[in-house]
Amino acid sequence: MSRFFLTIATLACLFVSPAQAGKHDAEFSRFLEAEVKPAAQAAGIKGATLSRELQGLTPDTSLPGLVGPGGKGSPPKVNFQAEFRAPANYFKDSQFNALVPGGRRLMKKHARSLAAIEKRYGVPKRIILAIWARESGYGGAKIPHDAIRVLATRAFMGQRRDFFKDELIAALKILQNGDVSRKAMKSSWGGAMGQPQFMPSSYLKYAVDFDGDNHPNIWGSEVDTMASIANYLAKHGWVKGRDWGYEVVIPDSISCALEGPDNRTSISKWAAAGVKRVSGRPFPEHELARPGNILMPAGRYGPAFIATENFYVIKDYNESDTYALFVGHLADRYGSNKGFAAAWKPTKKTTRGAVRTLQLALEAKGHDVGGADGLIGFKTRRSIGKDQEAGGYFPTCWVG
């Protein structure tokens, strides 16, 4: 985040009349004085930093998902009438064809740096680049918001006030450290910053200076961005020498209801049970004794995979099966730009409300669906499969 420069336009904002002031400006100022500043000072933020960065700050009430001052108000309702999007929607070839050439160019451009990053952190360069692509289009995406204003607004009138207050204090610490200017400290509307989309607390834990200028710069330095992504994954348990997973054929003799990381067993046992790679090649010798689990994002209606622990490390970056699979698949396509071997089969269109109704019915039967939220994670998929088996049907682990 950049330091606060008093331009003519900014000065004008400081001296608006009461009639011009925003609806919540006065209450917001009291919140900063009474709650943010004392907590920030207790965390080591100097008074000069607080005065410089918070003076004249107003809330951005245009941000989505706000509740009201003090968190008092009705949270936005989940639209359970909205269409439920099957995984196939996330894997259109056009997206990958647009991202692969850029990733290949960056591999060549940063070959030396990527080799050094991979050596230090143990994370493959193709995984690093795929996350960078997904988060910000290799830095090409617009990240237009003033991070301090976003975080302060959400701490004042968002749904997770304490979380965002802590993130605001972390952002102020970054500015105090001099790592970035206020002008350059840009974030998304949710407060995620820079090219790897780190929250401020993640920046303080995982951002690294790899280009040697003494500041971790995730806004303007491609090398620091790549190294910071690698450090994040390494600190979250990336297992060196392992891939994220393999597309496979799961025979009908193996139930899709066995999906999930809590059903891991050695890849050699999956292979002995009839699981085969779609390439026709055997699993790498060094993987056979290592654990893996079935991953079937659309049940029997789409591609199937054996996932390693590293798939779930990618999920630590963004808690979504489709996100992690997108990253892994894009990483694979930097080599041979080919789609999945298996097709995403047509499925019945439904709504989040219908999915939630199904989840509630499964919960009533004693199944653990991972929460009735209208979304289908592995716990919901395998619960569907178990219920289908109990009814005497071949399990598909999918709705419809």
Side-chain angles (χ1 to χ4, degrees):
M1 295 191 175
S2 54
R3 300 198 185 282
F4 193 72
F5 292 103
L6 295 180
T7 62
I8 294 175
T10 305
L11 285 168
C13 291
L14 297 179
F15 299 104
V16 293
S17 69
Q20 293 173 306
K23 179 180 178 182
H24 302 299
D25 288 4
E27 192 173 353
F28 181 66
S29 294
R30 289 193 293 272
F31 161 74
L32 295 178
E33 289 293 332
E35 295 191 41
V36 173
K37 288 186 177 181
Q41 288 172 330
I45 308 299
K46 297 176 182 177
T49 302
L50 294 171
S51 296
R52 182 182 66 238
E53 307 303 346
L54 301 182
Q55 180 68 37
L57 192 66
T58 58
D60 182 356
T61 56
S62 69
L63 297 175
L66 299 179
V67 178
K72 298 173 182 176
S74 299
K77 292 183 179 179
V78 176
N79 180 11
F80 286 114
Q81 297 306 311
E83 178 189 3
F84 171 80
R85 299 192 70 196
N89 292 294
Y90 296 89
F91 297 97
K92 298 185 186 305
D93 271 349
S94 57
Q95 296 183 79
F96 296 95
N97 291 334
L99 291 170
V100 165
R104 288 174 173 172
R105 284 194 300 271
L106 287 162
M107 276 191 195
K108 292 180 180 178
K109 176 182 176 182
H110 294 297
R112 183 176 296 179
S113 293
L114 281 166
I117 291 168
E118 190 168 342
K119 182 178 180 180
R120 179 179 297 183
Y121 300 107
V123 181
K125 59 188 176 184
R126 60 194 183 91
I127 297 292
I128 297 167
L129 287 166
I131 287 180
W132 186 15
R134 187 62 171 160
E135 292 298 331
S136 66
Y138 309 116
K142 278 190 173 183
I143 304 172
H145 294 280
D146 173 358
I148 291 291
R149 192 180 187 207
V150 167
L151 296 166
T153 300
R154 293 197 174 281
F156 171 58
M157 58 194 309
Q159 297 179 69
R160 301 166 65 195
R161 296 182 66 239
D162 290 341
F163 170 81
F164 282 104
K165 185 169 75 173
D166 290 344
E167 293 296 337
L168 173 59
I169 292 170
L172 291 166
K173 190 173 292 186
I174 294 167
L175 290 174
Q176 182 166 277
N177 292 344
D179 287 346
V180 65
S181 68
R182 173 72 177 274
K183 183 178 180 181
M185 195 183 204
K186 297 297 185 182
S187 78
S188 70
W189 53 259
M193 306 187 307
Q195 298 185 43
Q197 287 289 274
F198 279 179
M199 295 302 292
S201 61
S202 290
Y203 174 95
L204 292 173
K205 292 176 186 175
Y206 309 115
V208 294
D209 167 34
F210 209 84
D211 61 12
D213 69 353
N214 297 318
H215 293 292
N217 182 0
I218 62 171
W219 295 270
S221 169
E222 294 183 341
V223 172
D224 285 1
T225 292
M226 294 185 295
S228 297
I229 292 170
N231 186 41
Y232 184 101
L233 296 175
K235 293 285 176 60
H236 280 78
W238 187 271
V239 180
K240 294 181 181 180
R242 299 208 75 189
D243 211 328
W244 67 270
Y246 304 89
E247 188 182 356
V248 297
V249 176
I250 307 288
D252 290 350
S253 57
I254 297 177
S255 173
C256 57
L258 293 174
E259 181 183 359
D262 50 355
N263 284 325
R264 284 186 186 131
T265 190
S266 67
I267 289 179
S268 62
K269 288 185 179 178
W270 291 120
V275 175
K276 296 180 179 179
R277 292 180 67 184
V278 296
S279 64
R281 294 176 294 171
F283 291 102
E285 188 70 26
H286 71 276
E287 291 277 25
L288 290 176
R290 308 300 294 274
N293 61 269
I294 293 174
L295 171 69
M296 302 180 78
R300 290 283 180 182
Y301 290 93
F305 308 87
I306 292 293
T308 74
E309 308 103 304
N310 287 337
F311 178 86
Y312 297 92
V313 175
I314 297 172
K315 275 190 71 174
D316 282 334
Y317 208 102
N318 183 309
E319 187 59 31
S320 162
D321 282 347
T322 51
Y323 175 92
L325 186 57
F326 187 101
V327 167
H329 185 51
L330 176 57
D332 290 349
R333 290 178 73 146
Y334 290 137
S336 177
N337 188 17
K338 296 179 180 178
F340 295 121
W344 299 97
K345 299 173 184 177
T347 56
K348 180 182 177 181
K349 288 187 178 180
T350 188
T351 64
R352 283 191 63 180
V355 172
R356 183 170 181 268
T357 297
L358 173 61
Q359 290 171 324
L360 291 170
L362 289 167
E363 284 184 333
K365 292 182 179 182
H367 293 289
D368 176 11
V369 300
D373 56 4
L375 303 173
I376 302 181
F378 77 88
K379 289 185 177 181
T380 295
R381 294 193 293 268
R382 72 185 183 191
S383 293
I384 294 172
K386 289 177 181 178
D387 193 62
Q388 290 169 327
E389 288 175 331
Y393 298 99
F394 176 74
T396 65
C397 299
W398 198 251
V399 296

